[in-house]
Amino acid sequence: MERRVERELEILTAIAEGDSTTQRALAARLGVALGLTNLYLKRLAKKGFIKITEFPRKPAARKRLRYVLTPKGLLEKSRLTYDYMSYSLGIYRRTRETLREALGHLHGQGLKRVAFYRPGEAAELAYVTLKEFGLEPFAVFDRDEGGFFLGLPVRPIAEAADAELDAIVIATFERPEPDIAELTRLGFPREKLLTLRRPLSADGEASRT
């Protein structure tokens, strides 16, 4: 799903909830600049999905804007929510199949010490897949240390080189190529890097290995 569509759904959801309905609060919720948020709101209003009204109307009062979801906007929100759920389920199925295939190739080789790189929602899916093979994550790494994930301390990735790992799962739904490049620069063999999406080959096609 396009980032623009995701942001429009987030705005419509926030307005429907009656929360985060100032431009500044919406910008913080979206993680984008105030000017871009204003552009999204104007686009949604032009499409008839929201109404923008001013209040209060007293001459001396500071002008404020109120955003209201229209019936057309409510239908659009429902449609986008359905599309987003279908898109997410498709991602989950594909990433699970990709990781299962990779783990299946290595499982007969005495695979035991498997670590996750980048904790989060994608790593949770990877954990469920790992359990299917009777495995538990040995360690969790990120660019910087901090906090816990699955009961394990999140350690800086620089420490992974000394951990004698059998494999590292790059746990992200985004394209894995930048993380693969980063980890290979740190000295990890490419064959030990497992991904949730098939990396692109040199000709730009998704690799089958």
Side-chain angles (χ1 to χ4, degrees):
M1 178 174 282
E2 294 181 19
R3 183 61 57 87
R4 173 187 60 80
V5 178
E6 288 185 16
R7 288 170 176 166
E8 288 183 354
L9 174 57
E10 189 68 26
I11 290 173
L12 293 174
T13 300
I15 293 173
E17 292 171 350
D19 188 23
S20 303
T21 50
T22 66
Q23 282 194 28
R24 195 170 300 279
L26 284 169
R29 179 164 174 164
L30 296 173
V32 300
L34 196 60
L36 184 56
T37 302
N38 183 51
L39 185 63
Y40 276 116
L41 289 166
K42 287 182 177 179
R43 182 183 295 147
L44 290 171
K46 186 175 181 180
K47 292 178 179 179
F49 297 147
I50 65 172
K51 288 175 62 178
I52 303 176
T53 59
E54 298 179 8
F55 77 98
R57 295 186 177 279
K58 295 179 181 179
R62 183 181 178 183
K63 183 179 73 172
R64 296 184 62 188
L65 299 177
R66 173 182 289 155
Y67 307 101
V68 180
L69 200 64
T70 65
K72 184 179 178 181
L74 183 59
L75 288 174
E76 178 69 2
K77 174 181 170 295
S78 299
R79 185 187 71 80
L80 291 179
T81 300
Y82 176 81
D83 289 348
Y84 183 77
M85 290 177 64
S86 299
Y87 170 78
S88 298
L89 288 172
I91 286 180
Y92 292 156
R93 283 195 297 267
R94 289 193 297 273
T95 54
R96 189 178 177 205
E97 289 170 2
T98 301
L99 183 56
R100 285 189 69 185
E101 181 180 332
L103 287 170
H105 288 317
L106 295 176
H107 191 51
Q109 303 176 21
L111 184 71
K112 291 183 179 179
R113 296 166 68 91
V114 181
F116 289 155
Y117 177 51
R118 299 182 64 179
E121 183 180 358
E124 292 174 0
L125 176 63
Y127 174 72
V128 173
T129 308
L130 207 65
K131 292 285 287 183
E132 294 179 11
F133 288 84
L135 298 170
E136 289 283 345
F138 174 76
V140 179
F141 298 96
D142 205 352
R143 288 187 173 88
D144 300 302
E145 67 179 324
F148 287 81
F149 183 76
L150 300 174
L152 296 169
V154 178
R155 298 157 55 188
I157 189 59
E159 294 183 4
D162 300 323
E164 298 182 359
L165 300 170
D166 295 324
I168 298 178
V169 178
I170 299 174
T172 175
F173 295 130
E174 304 296 328
R175 293 247 42 108
E177 288 81 10
D179 290 320
I180 291 174
E182 178 185 10
L183 294 179
T184 52
R185 281 196 301 270
L186 290 173
F188 295 101
R190 174 62 186 88
E191 61 271 15
K192 289 189 175 184
L193 304 180
L194 310 183
T195 61
L196 303 186
R197 293 181 64 174
R198 298 183 189 280
L200 297 177
S201 59
D203 59 3
E205 296 292 332
S207 172
R208 287 289 173 184
T209 58

PDB file of all heavy atoms in Angstrom, residues 117-137:
ATOM      1  N   TYR A 117      17.569  -9.504  13.955  1.00  0.00           N
ATOM      2  CA  TYR A 117      18.070  -8.148  13.809  1.00  0.00           C
ATOM      3  C   TYR A 117      16.886  -7.243  13.541  1.00  0.00           C
ATOM      4  O   TYR A 117      16.123  -7.479  12.615  1.00  0.00           O
ATOM      5  CB  TYR A 117      19.071  -8.070  12.654  1.00  0.00           C
ATOM      6  CG  TYR A 117      19.597  -6.669  12.393  1.00  0.00           C
ATOM      7  CD1 TYR A 117      20.116  -5.903  13.439  1.00  0.00           C
ATOM      8  CD2 TYR A 117      19.566  -6.111  11.126  1.00  0.00           C
ATOM      9  CE1 TYR A 117      20.594  -4.628  13.211  1.00  0.00           C
ATOM     10  CE2 TYR A 117      20.052  -4.835  10.882  1.00  0.00           C
ATOM     11  CZ  TYR A 117      20.565  -4.103  11.938  1.00  0.00           C
ATOM     12  OH  TYR A 117      21.037  -2.821  11.721  1.00  0.00           O
ATOM     13  N   ARG A 118      16.718  -6.227  14.373  1.00  0.00           N
ATOM     14  CA  ARG A 118      15.625  -5.258  14.310  1.00  0.00           C
ATOM     15  C   ARG A 118      14.354  -5.825  14.941  1.00  0.00           C
ATOM     16  O   ARG A 118      13.527  -6.420  14.252  1.00  0.00           O
ATOM     17  CB  ARG A 118      15.375  -4.790  12.870  1.00  0.00           C
ATOM     18  CG  ARG A 118      16.589  -4.102  12.264  1.00  0.00           C
ATOM     19  CD  ARG A 118      16.327  -3.602  10.877  1.00  0.00           C
ATOM     20  NE  ARG A 118      15.302  -2.561  10.864  1.00  0.00           N
ATOM     21  CZ  ARG A 118      14.902  -1.941   9.752  1.00  0.00           C
ATOM     22  NH1 ARG A 118      15.442  -2.250   8.586  1.00  0.00           N
ATOM     23  NH2 ARG A 118      13.974  -1.012   9.811  1.00  0.00           N
ATOM     24  N   PRO A 119      14.178  -5.647  16.238  1.00  0.00           N
ATOM     25  CA  PRO A 119      12.962  -6.106  16.920  1.00  0.00           C
ATOM     26  C   PRO A 119      11.747  -5.295  16.492  1.00  0.00           C
ATOM     27  O   PRO A 119      11.869  -4.150  16.065  1.00  0.00           O
ATOM     28  CB  PRO A 119      13.289  -5.873  18.401  1.00  0.00           C
ATOM     29  CG  PRO A 119      14.291  -4.760  18.393  1.00  0.00           C
ATOM     30  CD  PRO A 119      15.109  -4.969  17.158  1.00  0.00           C
ATOM     31  N   GLY A 120      10.577  -5.903  16.622  1.00  0.00           N
ATOM     32  CA  GLY A 120       9.349  -5.207  16.263  1.00  0.00           C
ATOM     33  C   GLY A 120       8.301  -6.178  15.768  1.00  0.00           C
ATOM     34  O   GLY A 120       8.383  -7.391  15.991  1.00  0.00           O
ATOM     35  N   GLU A 121       7.316  -5.655  15.057  1.00  0.00           N
ATOM     36  CA  GLU A 121       6.197  -6.466  14.585  1.00  0.00           C
ATOM     37  C   GLU A 121       6.669  -7.567  13.644  1.00  0.00           C
ATOM     38  O   GLU A 121       6.197  -8.709  13.715  1.00  0.00           O
ATOM     39  CB  GLU A 121       5.172  -5.576  13.882  1.00  0.00           C
ATOM     40  CG  GLU A 121       3.923  -6.312  13.424  1.00  0.00           C
ATOM     41  CD  GLU A 121       2.931  -5.396  12.727  1.00  0.00           C
ATOM     42  OE1 GLU A 121       3.206  -4.188  12.628  1.00  0.00           O
ATOM     43  OE2 GLU A 121       1.894  -5.902  12.283  1.00  0.00           O
ATOM     44  N   ALA A 122       7.594  -7.238  12.745  1.00  0.00           N
ATOM     45  CA  ALA A 122       8.101  -8.248  11.819  1.00  0.00           C
ATOM     46  C   ALA A 122       8.834  -9.355  12.562  1.00  0.00           C
ATOM     47  O   ALA A 122       8.738 -10.531  12.201  1.00  0.00           O
ATOM     48  CB  ALA A 122       9.026  -7.592  10.789  1.00  0.00           C
ATOM     49  N   ALA A 123       9.563  -8.991  13.615  1.00  0.00           N
ATOM     50  CA  ALA A 123      10.275  -9.990  14.413  1.00  0.00           C
ATOM     51  C   ALA A 123       9.296 -10.898  15.154  1.00  0.00           C
ATOM     52  O   ALA A 123       9.587 -12.077  15.384  1.00  0.00           O
ATOM     53  CB  ALA A 123      11.220  -9.305  15.395  1.00  0.00           C
ATOM     54  N   GLU A 124       8.144 -10.375  15.536  1.00  0.00           N
ATOM     55  CA  GLU A 124       7.132 -11.208  16.188  1.00  0.00           C
ATOM     56  C   GLU A 124       6.632 -12.285  15.237  1.00  0.00           C
ATOM     57  O   GLU A 124       6.439 -13.437  15.632  1.00  0.00           O
ATOM     58  CB  GLU A 124       5.971 -10.336  16.673  1.00  0.00           C
ATOM     59  CG  GLU A 124       6.345  -9.395  17.817  1.00  0.00           C
ATOM     60  CD  GLU A 124       5.214  -8.443  18.175  1.00  0.00           C
ATOM     61  OE1 GLU A 124       4.152  -8.528  17.524  1.00  0.00           O
ATOM     62  OE2 GLU A 124       5.398  -7.627  19.095  1.00  0.00           O
ATOM     63  N   LEU A 125       6.419 -11.919  13.968  1.00  0.00           N
ATOM     64  CA  LEU A 125       6.021 -12.901  12.974  1.00  0.00           C
ATOM     65  C   LEU A 125       7.137 -13.924  12.768  1.00  0.00           C
ATOM     66  O   LEU A 125       6.875 -15.130  12.663  1.00  0.00           O
ATOM     67  CB  LEU A 125       5.696 -12.206  11.655  1.00  0.00           C
ATOM     68  CG  LEU A 125       5.361 -13.122  10.478  1.00  0.00           C
ATOM     69  CD1 LEU A 125       4.097 -13.920  10.755  1.00  0.00           C
ATOM     70  CD2 LEU A 125       5.207 -12.324   9.196  1.00  0.00           C
ATOM     71  N   ALA A 126       8.370 -13.456  12.725  1.00  0.00           N
ATOM     72  CA  ALA A 126       9.502 -14.364  12.557  1.00  0.00           C
ATOM     73  C   ALA A 126       9.602 -15.337  13.732  1.00  0.00           C
ATOM     74  O   ALA A 126       9.950 -16.506  13.547  1.00  0.00           O
ATOM     75  CB  ALA A 126      10.796 -13.557  12.429  1.00  0.00           C
ATOM     76  N   TYR A 127       9.271 -14.857  14.916  1.00  0.00           N
ATOM     77  CA  TYR A 127       9.321 -15.712  16.102  1.00  0.00           C
ATOM     78  C   TYR A 127       8.328 -16.870  15.989  1.00  0.00           C
ATOM     79  O   TYR A 127       8.664 -18.017  16.296  1.00  0.00           O
ATOM     80  CB  TYR A 127       9.017 -14.880  17.348  1.00  0.00           C
ATOM     81  CG  TYR A 127       8.905 -15.694  18.621  1.00  0.00           C
ATOM     82  CD1 TYR A 127      10.042 -16.252  19.207  1.00  0.00           C
ATOM     83  CD2 TYR A 127       7.675 -15.908  19.223  1.00  0.00           C
ATOM     84  CE1 TYR A 127       9.950 -17.004  20.373  1.00  0.00           C
ATOM     85  CE2 TYR A 127       7.572 -16.660  20.384  1.00  0.00           C
ATOM     86  CZ  TYR A 127       8.709 -17.202  20.955  1.00  0.00           C
ATOM     87  OH  TYR A 127       8.618 -17.959  22.094  1.00  0.00           O
ATOM     88  N   VAL A 128       7.113 -16.575  15.525  1.00  0.00           N
ATOM     89  CA  VAL A 128       6.107 -17.627  15.353  1.00  0.00           C
ATOM     90  C   VAL A 128       6.608 -18.676  14.362  1.00  0.00           C
ATOM     91  O   VAL A 128       6.460 -19.886  14.573  1.00  0.00           O
ATOM     92  CB  VAL A 128       4.770 -17.020  14.870  1.00  0.00           C
ATOM     93  CG1 VAL A 128       3.770 -18.120  14.524  1.00  0.00           C
ATOM     94  CG2 VAL A 128       4.191 -16.103  15.940  1.00  0.00           C
ATOM     95  N   THR A 129       7.225 -18.225  13.273  1.00  0.00           N
ATOM     96  CA  THR A 129       7.751 -19.149  12.267  1.00  0.00           C
ATOM     97  C   THR A 129       8.902 -19.969  12.827  1.00  0.00           C
ATOM     98  O   THR A 129       9.023 -21.168  12.557  1.00  0.00           O
ATOM     99  CB  THR A 129       8.213 -18.370  11.026  1.00  0.00           C
ATOM    100  OG1 THR A 129       7.145 -17.514  10.579  1.00  0.00           O
ATOM    101  CG2 THR A 129       8.597 -19.307   9.899  1.00  0.00           C
ATOM    102  N   LEU A 130       9.744 -19.328  13.622  1.00  0.00           N
ATOM    103  CA  LEU A 130      10.875 -20.029  14.236  1.00  0.00           C
ATOM    104  C   LEU A 130      10.386 -21.154  15.147  1.00  0.00           C
ATOM    105  O   LEU A 130      10.947 -22.255  15.169  1.00  0.00           O
ATOM    106  CB  LEU A 130      11.709 -19.022  15.040  1.00  0.00           C
ATOM    107  CG  LEU A 130      13.202 -19.326  15.224  1.00  0.00           C
ATOM    108  CD1 LEU A 130      13.908 -19.300  13.880  1.00  0.00           C
ATOM    109  CD2 LEU A 130      13.827 -18.301  16.164  1.00  0.00           C
ATOM    110  N   LYS A 131       9.304 -20.888  15.881  1.00  0.00           N
ATOM    111  CA  LYS A 131       8.752 -21.886  16.800  1.00  0.00           C
ATOM    112  C   LYS A 131       8.279 -23.134  16.052  1.00  0.00           C
ATOM    113  O   LYS A 131       8.286 -24.238  16.609  1.00  0.00           O
ATOM    114  CB  LYS A 131       7.602 -21.280  17.594  1.00  0.00           C
ATOM    115  CG  LYS A 131       8.007 -20.209  18.587  1.00  0.00           C
ATOM    116  CD  LYS A 131       8.671 -20.803  19.820  1.00  0.00           C
ATOM    117  CE  LYS A 131       7.649 -21.496  20.693  1.00  0.00           C
ATOM    118  NZ  LYS A 131       8.262 -22.028  21.933  1.00  0.00           N
ATOM    119  N   GLU A 132       7.832 -22.970  14.806  1.00  0.00           N
ATOM    120  CA  GLU A 132       7.387 -24.119  14.020  1.00  0.00           C
ATOM    121  C   GLU A 132       8.509 -25.119  13.796  1.00  0.00           C
ATOM    122  O   GLU A 132       8.257 -26.311  13.584  1.00  0.00           O
ATOM    123  CB  GLU A 132       6.839 -23.648  12.671  1.00  0.00           C
ATOM    124  CG  GLU A 132       5.566 -22.817  12.775  1.00  0.00           C
ATOM    125  CD  GLU A 132       5.090 -22.353  11.421  1.00  0.00           C
ATOM    126  OE1 GLU A 132       5.622 -22.839  10.397  1.00  0.00           O
ATOM    127  OE2 GLU A 132       4.185 -21.503  11.374  1.00  0.00           O
ATOM    128  N   PHE A 133       9.748 -24.648  13.846  1.00  0.00           N
ATOM    129  CA  PHE A 133      10.903 -25.523  13.671  1.00  0.00           C
ATOM    130  C   PHE A 133      11.507 -25.943  15.007  1.00  0.00           C
ATOM    131  O   PHE A 133      12.600 -26.515  15.052  1.00  0.00           O
ATOM    132  CB  PHE A 133      11.965 -24.812  12.818  1.00  0.00           C
ATOM    133  CG  PHE A 133      11.596 -24.673  11.371  1.00  0.00           C
ATOM    134  CD1 PHE A 133      10.795 -23.625  10.942  1.00  0.00           C
ATOM    135  CD2 PHE A 133      12.018 -25.599  10.428  1.00  0.00           C
ATOM    136  CE1 PHE A 133      10.435 -23.496   9.606  1.00  0.00           C
ATOM    137  CE2 PHE A 133      11.668 -25.480   9.094  1.00  0.00           C
ATOM    138  CZ  PHE A 133      10.872 -24.427   8.685  1.00  0.00           C
ATOM    139  N   GLY A 134      10.791 -25.640  16.095  1.00  0.00           N
ATOM    140  CA  GLY A 134      11.276 -26.005  17.411  1.00  0.00           C
ATOM    141  C   GLY A 134      12.458 -25.188  17.870  1.00  0.00           C
ATOM    142  O   GLY A 134      13.266 -25.647  18.687  1.00  0.00           O
ATOM    143  N   LEU A 135      12.565 -23.964  17.358  1.00  0.00           N
ATOM    144  CA  LEU A 135      13.704 -23.105  17.682  1.00  0.00           C
ATOM    145  C   LEU A 135      13.275 -21.913  18.517  1.00  0.00           C
ATOM    146  O   LEU A 135      12.127 -21.461  18.443  1.00  0.00           O
ATOM    147  CB  LEU A 135      14.368 -22.603  16.392  1.00  0.00           C
ATOM    148  CG  LEU A 135      14.963 -23.671  15.462  1.00  0.00           C
ATOM    149  CD1 LEU A 135      15.367 -23.049  14.138  1.00  0.00           C
ATOM    150  CD2 LEU A 135      16.163 -24.344  16.117  1.00  0.00           C
ATOM    151  N   GLU A 136      14.194 -21.394  19.286  1.00  0.00           N
ATOM    152  CA  GLU A 136      14.005 -20.171  20.057  1.00  0.00           C
ATOM    153  C   GLU A 136      15.090 -19.185  19.650  1.00  0.00           C
ATOM    154  O   GLU A 136      16.220 -19.586  19.344  1.00  0.00           O
ATOM    155  CB  GLU A 136      14.113 -20.445  21.559  1.00  0.00           C
ATOM    156  CG  GLU A 136      12.962 -21.224  22.158  1.00  0.00           C
ATOM    157  CD  GLU A 136      11.727 -20.359  22.371  1.00  0.00           C
ATOM    158  OE1 GLU A 136      11.856 -19.122  22.324  1.00  0.00           O
ATOM    159  OE2 GLU A 136      10.652 -20.938  22.580  1.00  0.00           O
ATOM    160  N   PRO A 137      14.782 -17.893  19.604  1.00  0.00           N
ATOM    161  CA  PRO A 137      15.833 -16.926  19.271  1.00  0.00           C
ATOM    162  C   PRO A 137      16.931 -16.941  20.318  1.00  0.00           C
ATOM    163  O   PRO A 137      16.661 -16.976  21.520  1.00  0.00           O
ATOM    164  CB  PRO A 137      15.092 -15.591  19.251  1.00  0.00           C
ATOM    165  CG  PRO A 137      13.877 -15.800  20.092  1.00  0.00           C
ATOM    166  CD  PRO A 137      13.497 -17.241  19.900  1.00  0.00           C
TER     167      PRO A 137
END
